[in-house]
Amino acid sequence: MLKNPSTKYRAAKSIGLTDRTWPNATITRAPIWCSVDMRDGNQALIEPMDIPRKLKMFEQLVKIGFKEIEVGFPSASQIEFDFLRKLIDENRIPDDVTIQVLTQARPELIERTFESLVGVPRVIVHLYNATAPVMRRVVLNMSEDEIVQLAVDHAQMFKDLAAKQPATDWTFEYSPEMYSDTELAFSARVIDAVTAVWEPTPAKKCIINLPTTVECCTSNVFADMVEWTGRHIARRDAIVLSIHPHNDRGTGTATAELALLAGADRLEGCLFGNGERTGNLDVVNVALNMYSQGVSPELDFSDIDAIRSTVEYCNQLPVHPRHPYVGDLVYTSFSGSHQDAIKKAFGARKDGDVWEMPYLPIDPKDVGRSYEAVIRVNSQSGKGGISYLLESEYGLQLPRRLQIEFSQAVQRAMDATGKEFTAKDLWGIFEREYGLNAGSKVEYQLATKGEVTEISGTVSVIDQSWSVKGQGAGPIDAWVQGVGEAMGRSIRVLDYTEHAIGQGADAKAVAYVEMRVDDAHTVYGVAMDANIVTASLRAIVSGVNRVPAVNTSPAHETAAS
């Protein structure tokens, strides 16, 4: 890289629009959306879509709710031509959808394009020619007057060929290609020359499309360009002002949003930003940005994973796991502090509340995601994420001190493997740590004499068994006395919590008992059973049985104390 890049690269010039209005504007409604996945996105693929893939993409776009869909470049190849004919001949275009096709300003391509459209009920035909100085000087070797005449001649050709097919509802669209690099006054001159030929009216508008063919300035400068153009072109009330952003600087979304503030009516782009070089505008990103601000995008992304699957199949390209709104990891927190904040916010949230959630700009449920993926656990995670997953997937509501204790057990397992843990992995650790599947068995009988509860029974753990007999102020008090005497241990209950999991006949009770064993170790015992008393008694056995592990493992002693 150059130490002084100004010797090679020029900074974008400011427009000098001192009375700009877009900074104070707000997006309050959806623009007209046009998907260009099957043309602009398709031509960017290593292996362009075949007809079955194009048809699958078209049907997905219709399902999402796009009313304008660019289906191809019918003069470019036979597949493009044949796909368009398939849509028309098989009557596959819904009545509320208008297809769009693109053609360069060359007579033979325009003729082939109109040939492909015979019998189409309605269509947008998009004409473009390059206008930027570098294209005029280096590629085309044409003057400004010649560029204007080129645009005028082919605009007239559009008009003449459309007149031969009066049954079709025609809409014309024009792009001064490389508008982002073209002098504003010259862009306006070419646009006015084209609309003078087409003679649009407020009742029958044409589309003028302003492409950032190559992003070459910050988005605020482009917004100034759009506002300037909207003020200075003729017949503005008869024009749908459209924007076609690319993403060379990584600011395609910002360019689109600021262009809407600057007066644009319409956006062209692709699902998840596919397109040449660094891609086109990501329409999903802009649409869900609007949604997060309470504005309906009038597009349906409620099953975003199915949409992603279709796009990945059709494009044969993966969607990045960090891609906004759709990536595998975008609703996922690994950081312990983030997890804790999310867990607390979910706990405080009530149905109907305004969405105020740390680290989550929208509710994952709104796009078809479950909360399972919101929090995932790795070595950077904390007790909040761990307890959240166990609650959301298995219904456990761990007391805070148990969260702290169990997080230490998870951390040891994590340090040993170095891998991310799923909710299922955490459940397996929990079962092992608290002996939920250790084969322990509790049998007992209760009797009450006045205010005293008597209990007798047996405790079996693997290959050992104890007879238990005790009395106290209740079943737990009596059981603690009996188990302590039978096992030769000192047991003191410090805290007790229980709750139900599930409903009806399938409901289970889970009991959490914090206890002090042998006046040396504070541990939790956990058990589940259909009967709450049985769950409580088994939880005490669970805690006592964990003490030998504490005695033989310094790390465990630290975790439990």
Side-chain angles (χ1 to χ4, degrees):
M1 296 179 65
L2 299 174
K3 290 184 178 180
N4 182 12
S6 66
T7 62
K8 186 173 183 178
Y9 300 100
R10 290 193 302 269
K13 294 181 180 179
S14 172
I15 305 307
L17 194 67
T18 57
D19 58 342
R20 62 181 64 85
T21 63
W22 62 262
N24 295 319
T26 303
I27 297 173
T28 58
R29 59 184 175 83
I32 300 167
W33 301 101
C34 178
S35 160
V36 295
D37 289 85
M38 290 186 292
R39 195 276 302 171
D40 207 355
N42 184 39
Q43 73 183 25
L45 301 178
I46 298 169
E47 182 180 332
M49 297 179 214
D50 55 17
I51 288 179
R53 278 186 164 84
K54 291 199 77 166
L55 186 58
K56 187 175 182 68
M57 178 67 83
F58 180 77
E59 291 172 345
Q60 180 68 78
L61 294 168
V62 169
K63 186 176 181 181
I64 291 169
F66 285 94
K67 302 306 179 187
E68 296 183 1
I69 302 173
E70 190 170 72
V71 296
F73 203 138
S75 63
S77 71
Q78 193 61 45
I79 285 180
E80 297 284 281
F81 188 98
D82 291 345
F83 175 68
L84 179 54
R85 290 311 314 168
K86 182 179 183 68
L87 293 179
I88 297 170
D89 295 339
E90 297 180 7
N91 195 29
R92 291 179 175 268
I93 307 168
D95 292 342
D96 61 346
V97 172
T98 301
I99 62 169
Q100 176 172 306
V101 295
L102 181 74
T103 178
Q104 196 174 5
R106 290 170 51 187
E108 68 278 13
L109 301 184
I110 294 173
E111 289 176 354
R112 178 69 167 164
T113 299
F114 276 81
E115 178 188 345
S116 73
L117 295 169
V118 172
V120 69
R122 69 208 148 270
V123 67
I124 299 167
V125 192
H126 186 175
L127 174 71
Y128 75 94
N129 66 283
T131 57
V134 67
M135 298 295 287
R136 301 194 307 257
R137 184 179 66 253
V138 176
V139 179
L140 301 174
N141 192 26
M142 297 176 72
S143 67
E144 290 186 6
D145 289 346
E146 289 172 319
I147 292 290
V148 172
Q149 193 59 50
L150 177 74
V152 167
D153 290 345
H154 294 95
Q156 185 62 52
M157 190 174 182
F158 263 43
K159 194 172 182 179
D160 294 343
L161 289 172
K164 296 178 181 179
Q165 298 184 45
T168 295
D169 181 4
W170 299 95
T171 298
F172 297 151
E173 177 176 351
Y174 174 70
S175 287
E177 191 197 12
M178 294 186 71
Y179 164 82
S180 49
D181 287 288
T182 303
E183 310 94 320
L184 287 178
F186 183 61
S187 293
R189 179 186 171 193
V190 180
I191 291 167
D192 287 349
V194 168
T195 59
V197 174
W198 286 344
E199 300 179 299
T201 67
K204 182 60 177 174
K205 297 183 179 184
C206 73
I207 301 169
I208 295 299
N209 189 56
L210 307 178
T212 57
T213 310
V214 178
E215 279 196 313
C216 58
C217 61
T218 54
S219 300
N220 63 302
V221 173
F222 187 79
D224 281 351
M225 295 173 66
V226 172
E227 184 165 340
W228 187 97
T229 300
R231 293 183 190 181
H232 288 83
I233 55 175
R235 308 171 188 86
R236 177 63 182 95
D237 62 345
I239 289 171
V240 174
L241 198 59
S242 177
I243 308 295
H244 183 110
H246 280 249
N247 199 42
D248 303 270
R249 292 169 54 93
T251 56
T253 295
T255 294
E257 292 180 333
L258 268 60
L260 291 178
L261 298 177
D265 308 304
R266 180 179 186 265
L267 293 179
E268 294 188 345
C270 296
L271 297 175
F272 313 126
N274 183 45
E276 291 205 87
R277 305 182 309 278
T278 53
N280 288 34
L281 170 67
D282 180 350
V283 293
V284 181
N285 198 350
V286 177
L288 291 179
N289 282 354
M290 291 180 187
Y291 183 81
S292 73
Q293 301 298 301
V295 177
S296 172
E298 300 178 11
L299 297 174
D300 184 3
F301 296 110
S302 57
D303 192 357
I304 203 164
D305 286 340
I307 296 169
R308 180 184 64 186
S309 178
T310 297
V311 171
E312 290 181 329
Y313 167 76
C314 293
N315 290 344
Q316 301 182 70
L317 291 172
V319 173
H320 195 280
R322 299 290 183 192
H323 199 104
Y325 297 110
V326 67
D328 282 333
L329 299 177
V330 297
Y331 303 108
T332 301
S333 287
F334 290 102
S335 163
S337 62
H338 290 198
Q339 292 172 347
D340 187 59
I342 291 171
K343 178 180 182 294
K344 289 174 180 175
F346 273 130
R349 178 174 168 75
K350 298 180 178 63
D351 288 343
D353 285 353
V354 170
W355 185 255
E356 289 183 309
M357 188 65 60
Y359 310 113
L360 293 173
I362 66 169
D363 187 344
K365 280 188 174 180
D366 291 352
V367 291
R369 289 285 182 87
S370 71
Y371 292 139
E372 178 181 1
V374 171
I375 292 178
R376 289 159 66 171
V377 175
N378 66 12
S379 61
Q380 305 301 308
S381 304
K383 64 184 185 303
I386 294 166
S387 58
Y388 174 82
L389 283 183
L390 288 178
E391 181 173 351
S392 62
E393 296 302 308
Y394 295 96
L396 298 181
Q397 300 170 18
L398 305 187
R400 178 171 175 77
R401 286 191 296 276
L402 178 54
Q403 293 178 27
I404 297 170
E405 179 186 287
F406 181 58
S407 70
Q408 301 295 326
V410 173
Q411 189 67 51
R412 290 195 303 276
M414 190 71 66
D415 290 343
T417 64
K419 296 181 179 179
E420 173 196 348
F421 280 2
T422 64
K424 184 178 180 181
D425 296 327
L426 295 175
W427 175 245
I429 297 171
F430 193 83
E431 285 184 314
R432 292 191 298 273
E433 184 72 16
Y434 296 97
L436 299 186
N437 290 329
S440 63
K441 188 176 181 181
V442 169
E443 294 179 342
Y444 63 92
Q445 291 181 328
L446 293 171
T448 303
K449 293 183 178 180
E451 296 182 356
V452 176
T453 298
E454 294 183 349
I455 193 166
S456 61
T458 58
V459 172
S460 301
V461 180
I462 308 177
D463 57 351
Q464 290 184 287
S465 182
W466 295 268
S467 294
V468 175
K469 183 175 288 187
Q471 61 182 20
I476 294 176
D477 190 27
W479 186 252
V480 164
Q481 182 198 34
V483 168
E485 290 181 0
M487 294 185 173
R489 314 299 293 269
S490 168
I491 307 169
R492 180 161 52 97
V493 173
L494 303 178
D495 189 39
Y496 170 81
T497 308
E498 55 86 10
H499 64 82
I501 298 177
Q503 295 179 343
D506 295 329
K508 285 187 176 182
V510 56
Y512 312 101
V513 180
E514 185 182 23
M515 62 190 77
R516 186 76 172 167
V517 179
D518 296 338
D519 291 324
H521 307 289
T522 302
V523 295
Y524 262 93
V526 182
M528 300 173 66
D529 197 272
N531 182 286
I532 183 57
V533 174
T534 303
S536 303
L537 304 188
R538 289 180 58 196
I540 292 168
V541 176
S542 162
V544 173
N545 283 336
R546 294 182 63 232
V547 171
V550 173
N551 288 334
T552 58
S553 170
H556 200 141
E557 183 169 348
T558 300
S561 23

